[in-house]
Every structure is written in structure tokens, then in C-alpha cells.
Amino acid sequence: MTASAPRPRIDTSQAHPARVYDWLLGGKDNYPVDEAVGAQLPPEARDGARQNRAFMQRATRWLAGQGVDQFLDIGTGIPTAPNLHQIVQGVLPSARVVYTDNDPIVLRHAEALLVSTPEGTTDYIQADVREPGTIIDHARTVLDFDRPLALSLIALMHFLPDEQKPYEIVAELVSALPSGSHLVLSHASSDIFPELSDQVTAEYAKGGIKLGFRSRAEVARFFDGLDLVEPGLVTATEWYREEPAPEQEPSGIYGGVARVR
């Protein structure tokens, strides 16, 4: 991250997904416009945010345990401990992590994301997932793309409706990864609780945020050409690789981890 770069203005007149998510998690880095969206969502939305974060932690910890020491996390969101780098570097102190988000408020809090272990590295770029080339170009200055790395897209792609070409974006990002890398992706479902999905979509739309919730089959398309790790594409509370198993509870979030051939 370039310290001398001008800090962009935070638009507090319109809700932003990262700040609504922060509100759902009980955070304080949001504005009334974000709370206005979050407060109208059903209680299951808060459950989903919590379950999604727990999925990220389990998947990240497992990958680090497998020796994956490079992570590209797009759609980072507002820092909430433990952050991804804290999990990874707790297992592999020399790990390198690049964070990316398009919300200026995340940039304001980037210092919390850049507190690395002495042996490791963390970096941050403000960029939009719809500009995958820009993200990859920057990530190459920190990560070694000749070795396996993990691409983390946590609760991000459902903010890209089909007209924004989400499948093509993920395919372009994955195409830059070397063999042995992994894609970690979670995504809100449209088919587990369809009535809640419609309600959430409508409330976000009132805040100016378009959603593209998807069915299991539609989420599975993001993993085309990759080898899903057991237990495959399941709900966020069903995905785990090590004991103890997470508490099994209803979840409207799909999650999966897949290996690049």
C-alpha cells in the first residue's frame, strides 16, 4: 500500500456492503445509512454473517495447515479479529497476505490489516473485483505466482448480478493461479430459504445495493474446472476438515474450497 496515496472520500449517503456486513457482525465502523439496511434484514442475516466468518476461519486455518503460505483476499471488509492474516500467520509466521477491497473505509482501517509477524508480510490495495487484472498485477509484487496460493472470495460474488459477469471474473482470477493453488468461496443462496432471499434482496435494493443470490448449482459453476475438497460445496456450517465439528444449524450460505489442477 502506498502511504502517500490520497485517501478517497467515504460516501456516507449510500450504504456499502462492507459496512452493512460490519453492522451485522456487531461492529462500529458503519453509518446510519448502513444500519438502515441491516436493521430491516431478517435475523437470519446476522446468523449468516457469523456463519460465513466462521467458515472463512476454518477454511483458512486448514489451508495454512496444509502448507499454503500465500493468500489473496478480495472483498476483505472492515477488519474484524481474528483477521485472515492472523489466522494464517498463527500457523505459518512467514506467510504473505494481500488484501483487497473497494470501500474507502476499509483503506482507513488498513493499518490493522498490515500488522504482520516479523517473518511475514501483509499488503493492501484498494481495488474492485471487477478489475481483476489490476488486482493480479499488484498481487504479483508481493506474492510468488510460481508457487501455490489461495484466492479468497468470501461473501463477495453475490454482490455481482449476472450482468456484471461474475463467472468470467472468477475464471480470470483463477487462470492466474499456478497449479496446486486453491479457491475459497462463500456465497449467499437463493434456494435454501427462498422467501428470506427475496426479502434480503429487496432490503438491500432499497439501500442501492444490487444482489445476485444463486442456487447451489449456480454457485457450483464458480468451481468449474477445479477439484472440490471434501466435503464439497455445502452450507457454511457443514464445511469443516478438522474436529471439533462446528455446531450444525440452518445456514443460507454455501461454502467450498477447491484445488487448481
Side-chain angles (χ1 to χ4, degrees):
M1 185 179 72
T2 304
S4 60
R7 294 196 166 191
R9 174 180 173 273
I10 296 173
D11 183 1
T12 60
S13 67
Q14 183 169 337
H16 189 282
R19 301 195 305 261
V20 175
Y21 187 66
D22 177 73
W23 187 88
L24 290 172
L25 288 172
K28 304 298 183 184
D29 295 305
N30 52 77
Y31 296 93
V33 67
D34 308 301
E35 180 178 357
V37 174
Q40 296 302 313
L41 299 177
E44 289 83 357
R46 288 193 177 192
D47 292 338
R50 171 180 52 81
Q51 295 162 350
N52 175 72
R53 187 149 190 87
F55 162 75
M56 179 278 287
Q57 294 172 4
R58 290 193 300 274
T60 298
R61 189 173 293 109
W62 178 76
L63 283 169
Q66 301 304 299
V68 179
D69 63 353
Q70 304 188 102
F71 284 75
L72 173 56
D73 181 54
I74 305 177
T76 297
I78 294 165
T80 304
N83 295 297
L84 185 146
H85 74 279
Q86 294 170 318
I87 297 170
V88 176
Q89 293 178 346
V91 179
L92 299 169
S94 61
R96 297 183 167 214
V97 177
V98 174
Y99 289 113
T100 304
D101 204 284
N102 72 345
D103 184 3
I105 199 173
V106 181
L107 175 61
R108 298 283 179 90
H109 291 274
E111 287 80 3
L113 298 172
L114 297 174
V115 182
S116 172
T117 58
E119 308 94 321
T121 301
T122 60
D123 194 35
Y124 181 87
I125 174 177
Q126 183 177 349
D128 196 296
V129 70
R130 290 166 292 192
E131 302 170 350
T134 299
I135 294 173
I136 293 297
D137 286 346
H138 177 88
R140 287 186 187 278
T141 67
V142 179
L143 307 178
D144 180 359
F145 276 70
D146 290 327
R147 297 195 299 110
L149 58 103
L151 169 63
S152 180
L153 301 173
I154 301 297
L156 174 63
M157 301 314 294
H158 53 243
F159 290 104
L160 272 66
D162 287 346
E163 62 267 23
Q164 296 187 25
K165 302 183 183 298
Y167 297 109
E168 290 84 348
I169 289 170
V170 173
E172 182 174 346
L173 289 167
V174 170
S175 70
L177 306 181
S179 177
S181 295
H182 289 80
L183 169 64
V184 184
L185 183 144
S186 63
H187 196 294
S189 74
S190 62
D191 55 353
I192 298 178
F193 306 115
E195 67 288 347
L196 293 178
S197 173
D198 291 343
Q199 180 183 351
V200 171
T201 299
E203 294 300 337
Y204 268 96
K206 292 176 184 176
I209 300 171
K210 294 184 67 175
L211 294 178
F213 285 8
R214 296 179 172 92
S215 67
R216 185 184 183 281
E218 290 169 330
V219 176
R221 282 185 56 194
F222 288 112
F223 297 99
D224 282 355
L226 307 179
D227 296 325
L228 276 163
V229 172
E230 291 295 332
L233 180 59
V234 293
T235 65
T237 55
E238 294 173 316
W239 198 98
Y240 70 99
R241 294 286 298 175
E242 299 170 348
E243 301 292 344
E247 179 183 353
Q248 294 304 298
E249 57 181 330
S251 176
I253 305 291
Y254 287 118
V257 177
R259 187 178 186 275
V260 178
R261 297 171 186 169

